């Protein structure tokens, strides 16, 4: 059996049911660019999950979903507030700045979560003409540290944003993992909490290059179709992206995949919890651990994973919908062996 990696939930392949759905959609001709029956079906499903006013646009990458969502609502003189560890800020190669010409204002966090208290200083003195004007707060659910906002935290944040005339965008590249961890529906941690726009992730949960931008107030999406086209994300054969979302959202596949990935992370944490320091609570499908610097490279020769913070020797291990218990136990054994051989050599 092919080896599983722990580098990212993007390293896994396509879920067999999703692949089957792509093959089943491969019959006859259909209108291109999202005018096909499958896209209409997927849009209905998004409305079923998130509410009747939901408008959606499919994209090929999560970066594009974030940019297209945000670009729809900002002018270049406005600013987007996000966590200092946000994918938007650290891992999108300056795409927000390139496409929107906007400033990102970052709030410091210890665990990936932003709060009204950390946003407040960024709103000071913004009436001044020389300052970029905050327009949107963008948070990630789950966060880049695998932590999860509770519905109460989200509601507090959205109330705060709306009181300050800010919109709330959620980067939900791993929203399904958060919903599975909280045992709530997708709606209960988005629309019901006052989120205005969502980037909904598919690729990390068993789909192939399929993400969606959702707006819960249609007025915010007035220009989105044009921004998506300019951003080269209007896929001609949209039906194959739509077919994947139908497979994911028509039943419980979205939750089953995410819950399984989360469970495998908990298992790994349990297996190695006595041997390594886990630096963040394991709630979803990521484990952040501090391991001796000398262990990183030898382990990476057998398993791919990220050295998240080389300065503090923190690594990130991620599980996926197809990570098995056997994968986890074998990996845990390698970690222990590596740690023991280091102790023995000292
Ligand atoms: C929090 C978050 N947002 C968005 C993305 C989407 O990235 P990509 O453009 O690589 O699909 C990722 C992927 O790692 C992510 O972790």
């Amino acid at each position: 059996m092919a080896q599983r990696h722990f580098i990212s939930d993007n390293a896994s392949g396509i879920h067999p049911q999703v692949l089957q759905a792509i093959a089943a959609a491969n019959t006859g001709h259909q209108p291109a660019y999202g005018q096909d029956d499958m896209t209409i079906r997927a849009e209905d499903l998004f409305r079923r999950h998130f509410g009747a006013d939901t408008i959606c646009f499919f994209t090929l990458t999560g970066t594009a979903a974030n940019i297209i969502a945000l670009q729809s609502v900002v002018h270049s003189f406005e600013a987007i507030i996000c966590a200092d560890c946000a994918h938007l800020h650290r891992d999108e190669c300056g795409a927000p700045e390139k496409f929107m010409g906007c400033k990102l204002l970052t709030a410091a966090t210890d665990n990936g979560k932003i709060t009204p208290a950390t946003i407040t200083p960024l709103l000071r003195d913004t009436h001044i003409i020389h300052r970029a004007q905050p327009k949107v707060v963008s948070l990630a659910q789950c966060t880049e540290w695998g932590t999860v906002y509770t519905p109460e935290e989200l509601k507090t944040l959205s109330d705060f944003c709306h009181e300050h005339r800010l919109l709330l965008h959620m980067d939900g590249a791993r929203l399904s993992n958060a919903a599975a961890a909280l045992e709530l529906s997708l709606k209960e941690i988005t629309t019901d909490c006052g989120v205005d726009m969502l980037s909904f992730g598919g690729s990390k949960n068993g789909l192939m290059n399929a993400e969606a931008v959702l707006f819960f107030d249609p007025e915010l999406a007035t220009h989105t179709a044009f921004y998506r086209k300019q951003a080269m994300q209007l896929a001609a054969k949209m039906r194959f992206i739509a077919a994947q979302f139908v497979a994911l959202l028509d039943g419980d596949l979205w939750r089953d995949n995410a819950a399984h990935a989360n469970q495998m992370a908990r298992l790994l944490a349990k297996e190695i919890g006595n041997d390594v320091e886990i630096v963040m609570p394991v709630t979803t499908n990521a484990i952040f651990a501090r391991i001796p610097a000398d262990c990183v490279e030898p382990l990476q020769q057998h398993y791919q994973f990220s050295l998240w913070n080389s300065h503090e020797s923190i690594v990130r291990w991620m599980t996926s919908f197809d990570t098995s218990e056997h994968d986890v136990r074998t990996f845990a054994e390698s970690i222990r062996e590596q740690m023991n051989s280091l102790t023995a050599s000292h």
Side-chain angles (χ1 to χ4, degrees), residues 10 61-63 66 87 92 144 171 173-174 204:
N10 276 333
T61 73
T63 298
N66 284 343
H87 194 269
E92 299 193 353
E144 287 74 6
D171 175 348
R174 298 190 179 89
K204 296 178 196 307

Side-chain angles (χ1 to χ4, degrees), residues 14-307:
I14 308 166
H15 190 279
Q17 266 172 258
V18 175
L19 200 51
Q20 234 171 37
I22 297 173
N26 192 27
T27 55
H29 285 201
Q30 278 280 330
Y33 301 111
Q35 305 301 311
D36 58 283
D37 296 343
M38 193 62 84
T39 299
I40 293 166
R41 228 179 117 193
E43 287 169 351
D44 278 346
L45 279 168
F46 274 108
R47 279 190 286 276
R48 202 209 288 165
H49 279 281
F50 291 95
D53 289 334
T54 304
I55 307 264
C56 58
F57 299 86
F58 302 144
T59 67
L60 298 158
T61 73
T63 298
N66 284 343
I67 304 302
I68 291 166
L70 293 164
Q71 191 176 22
S72 297
V73 299
V74 292
H75 294 106
S76 60
F77 56 84
E78 290 171 327
I80 298 160
I81 294 174
C82 60
D84 53 3
C85 61
H87 194 269
L88 188 70
H89 172 53
R90 285 203 340 178
D91 291 312
E92 299 193 353
C93 193
E97 291 85 344
K98 172 180 156 71
F99 280 87
M100 296 183 266
C102 251
K103 197 166 177 61
L104 298 184
L105 298 173
T106 57
T109 80
D110 293 330
N111 60 2
K113 296 200 218 175
I114 46 181
T115 62
T118 54
I119 297 170
T120 299
L122 302 172
L123 302 179
R124 250 176 236 143
D125 304 330
T126 48
H127 58 285
I128 297 173
I129 185 77
H130 306 286
R131 305 279 161 86
Q133 303 294 302
K135 178 67 186 286
V136 191
V137 170
S138 177
L139 59 81
Q141 173 78 319
C142 41
T143 71
E144 287 74 6
W145 282 102
T147 52
V148 165
Y149 292 88
T150 63
E152 294 73 30
E153 287 171 325
L154 291 172
K155 187 77 181 58
T156 303
L157 262 171
S158 83
D159 286 347
F160 175 86
C161 286
H162 297 148
E163 271 161 33
H164 291 82
R165 294 168 171 267
L166 296 164
L167 293 166
L168 184 59
H169 166 252
M170 182 181 275
D171 175 348
R174 298 190 179 89
L175 186 72
S176 302
N177 298 88
L182 291 163
E183 297 185 3
L184 293 171
S185 69
L186 295 169
K187 186 164 176 288
E188 282 172 306
I189 53 170
T190 54
T191 3
D192 289 357
C193 294
V195 171
D196 298 297
M197 298 121 64
L198 169 72
S199 307
F200 179 71
S203 305
K204 296 178 196 307
N205 200 26
L207 307 198
M208 177 180 65
N209 304 335
E211 312 284 316
V213 182
L214 309 185
F215 293 87
F216 306 123
D217 171 358
E219 281 204 8
L220 298 176
T222 313
H223 303 303
T224 308
F226 301 109
Y227 286 127
R228 178 176 61 172
K229 177 65 190 180
Q230 281 192 326
M232 297 160 280
Q233 293 289 314
L234 178 63
K237 299 203 176 177
M238 192 82 83
R239 69 171 133 149
F240 298 107
I241 299 182
Q244 298 182 60
F245 279 120
V246 171
L248 192 73
L249 296 174
D250 202 12
D252 284 333
L253 191 63
W254 66 272
R255 186 185 288 283
D256 294 346
N257 281 356
H260 176 80
N262 292 355
Q263 197 191 332
M264 290 303 101
R266 279 199 303 276
L267 177 64
L268 181 56
K270 192 168 148 228
E271 289 279 321
I272 45 106
N274 292 331
D275 304 285
V276 302
E277 180 195 354
I278 295 175
V279 300
M280 203 49 74
V282 179
T283 321
T284 52
N285 62 329
I287 298 186
F288 292 88
R290 196 186 320 272
I291 62 172
D294 293 353
C295 282
V296 176
E297 269 189 40
L299 254 180
Q300 280 177 330
Q301 280 170 16
H302 301 286
Y303 288 93
Q304 287 186 13
F305 61 86
S306 296
L307 177 55

Side-chain angles (χ1 to χ4, degrees), residues 312-328:
E312 295 190 37
S313 202
I314 293 175
V315 296
R316 184 186 78 167
W317 295 319
M318 294 217 69
T319 52
S320 200
F321 73 87
D322 63 350
T323 307
S324 70
E325 287 191 16
H326 175 75
D327 298 327
V328 169

